Amino acid sequence: MRAVGYRDSLPIDAANALVDVQLSKPVAAGRDLLVQVQAISVNPVDTKVRRRATPEAGDWKILGYDAAGTVVATGPDATLFQPGDTVFYAGDMTRQGTNAELHLVDERIVGRKPKSLDWAQAAALPLTAITAWEALFDRLNVRQRVPGAAEAILVIGGAGGVASIAIQLARQLAGLTVVATASRPETRDWVQALGAHHVIDHSRKLAEQVAALGIGEPGFVFSTTNTDRHLAEIVALIAPQGRFGLIDDPASLDIMPFKRKSVSVHWEFMFTRPMFHTADMGAQGALLNEVARLVDEGTLRTTIGENFGPINAANLKRAHALIESGRARGKIVLEGFPA
């Protein structure tokens, strides 16, 4: 089968950073599904793994987590899906990825593809939807309000993939006033179209801008990027007993300043459940089915930003480069393999 992978961890402009390869067809075992991949999307985690993880000598590392496709075979213990079912999912960091024609995935972390979306639109959703959902509802518990705080959330990095879903979930399902950050006209327009009530500029002091809105101190802050740069401002603006969540990877993070306000800190990593086979691993499949329902009824929308065309090394290198530039808006998707 065709796939895109690498053998050496290299900068994305290196000739062999990602290459087109031929691999053996995988075989479904246990609760696995074998999925024919129709579309994928590219996430910041893809670029981080490429820069940090080198496969065993002679092996290929296949990246990719998001996928939409068709089940073509099931393992002997699989019961939730049958061949011919159309699915979408975000995969497992401990296994080979979705940048391949055929991919193995545990059925417990798979959802049924939204009927109203095409392959590319569906592939844009899983990783960001799971991350945003777990961050808001499992970690920050936004449905339980913070006493005395504004029923509001500040989403930092509003135009990114995860934030683009978080804005919608916070407004549509949690009923929060959503303040999102964006610094360019096109990203301001993007977050407003997704439902942000207010937009502030993350290149300026955040606390002053939030105070100027007149809504009070937000009970929740969700940071998706540059958390270390904004930490002092977050400490200043969040309400006492507020809840702070993040998903990025600061080199260091001193949370001692939160003590005075008794702010709780929550890290979200959507691969935790499949990586450790947690008892509630199947919650991700159920979550994706709920996302599909909400999309089909018009409550949530896909966050596809750009479609880079067929799944091949050249197009994936373009996608990695754009994500590493920090200027991506929404999700970058690729669809189908070259004829």
Side-chain angles (χ1 to χ4, degrees):
M1 68 171 181
R2 289 173 291 183
V4 178
Y6 69 91
R7 281 184 165 154
D8 298 299
S9 182
L10 298 168
I12 197 57
D13 57 359
N16 293 328
L18 295 170
V19 297
D20 296 303
V21 299
Q22 286 283 341
L23 300 177
S24 300
K25 176 182 175 180
V27 177
R31 298 191 69 174
D32 280 346
L33 307 178
L34 181 62
V35 176
Q36 182 177 353
V37 174
Q38 304 288 353
I40 61 170
S41 70
V42 185
N43 296 279
V45 66
D46 295 72
T47 69
K48 294 173 185 176
V49 173
R50 193 202 78 248
R51 294 195 301 264
R52 300 172 185 172
T54 300
E56 295 291 329
D59 289 343
W60 291 100
K61 174 66 176 175
I62 308 300
L63 296 171
Y65 303 99
D66 278 326
T70 305
V71 177
V72 295
T74 63
D77 301 324
T79 60
L80 302 178
F81 298 91
Q82 297 178 354
D85 288 342
T86 58
V87 297
F88 74 146
Y89 57 91
D92 180 345
M93 205 172 196
T94 65
R95 306 182 71 173
Q96 290 283 45
T98 58
N99 296 346
E101 287 185 283
L102 295 167
H103 181 249
L104 291 175
V105 61
D106 190 298
E107 65 172 357
R108 287 170 287 183
I109 59 173
V110 175
R112 296 187 181 275
K113 171 187 165 293
K115 297 176 182 177
S116 59
L117 300 184
D118 63 25
W119 295 116
Q121 292 168 331
L125 282 170
L127 188 147
T128 53
I130 294 171
T131 302
W133 189 292
E134 290 184 350
L136 295 183
F137 302 122
D138 296 344
R139 315 294 174 230
L140 294 177
N141 193 15
V142 295
R143 290 190 174 107
Q144 180 180 332
R145 302 302 204 234
V146 175
E151 294 187 356
I153 185 169
L154 171 63
V155 180
I156 298 173
V162 171
S164 294
I165 295 291
I167 289 168
Q168 298 180 71
L169 293 176
R171 177 164 184 163
Q172 299 296 337
L173 272 64
L176 293 170
T177 296
V178 180
V179 182
T181 76
S183 61
R184 293 176 281 137
E186 61 270 28
T187 53
R188 292 179 65 89
D189 291 345
W190 175 265
V191 300
Q192 286 177 323
L194 291 170
H197 295 88
H198 306 282
V199 185
I200 63 175
D201 186 345
H202 47 240
S203 67
R204 297 167 46 210
K205 290 186 177 297
L206 298 179
E208 292 178 0
Q209 295 178 80
V210 170
L213 297 176
I215 62 173
E217 295 175 311
F220 310 100
V221 176
F222 180 35
S223 180
T224 67
T225 185
N226 294 315
T227 296
D228 46 355
R229 183 190 306 173
H230 300 300
L231 193 64
E233 292 293 307
I234 295 166
V235 171
L237 68 89
I238 196 169
Q241 301 187 93
R243 302 182 205 122
F244 169 58
L246 70 157
I247 61 170
D248 60 329
D249 302 301
S252 63
L253 193 71
D254 180 9
I255 63 173
M256 184 60 74
F258 283 124
K259 180 179 180 179
R260 184 168 171 267
K261 286 186 172 179
S262 294
V263 169
S264 57
V265 179
H266 306 263
W267 225 305
E268 161 60 19
F269 185 56
M270 66 130 291
F271 294 109
T272 296
R273 280 169 161 155
M275 181 178 288
F276 293 99
H277 282 75
T278 60
D280 63 349
M281 179 175 167
Q284 290 196 343
L287 184 165
L288 287 174
N289 285 333
E290 179 64 6
V291 168
R293 184 187 70 80
L294 292 167
V295 168
D296 286 338
E297 72 176 20
T299 301
L300 298 179
R301 52 172 276 194
T302 183
T303 54
I304 186 171
E306 295 187 71
N307 188 326
F308 273 22
I311 302 168
N312 60 31
N315 287 337
L316 276 165
K317 289 178 73 173
R318 288 174 55 219
H320 279 233
L322 180 56
I323 288 174
E324 289 178 353
S325 76
R327 298 184 67 82
R329 182 188 66 179
K331 294 296 293 293
I332 302 168
V333 301
L334 291 83
E335 185 174 10
F337 281 81

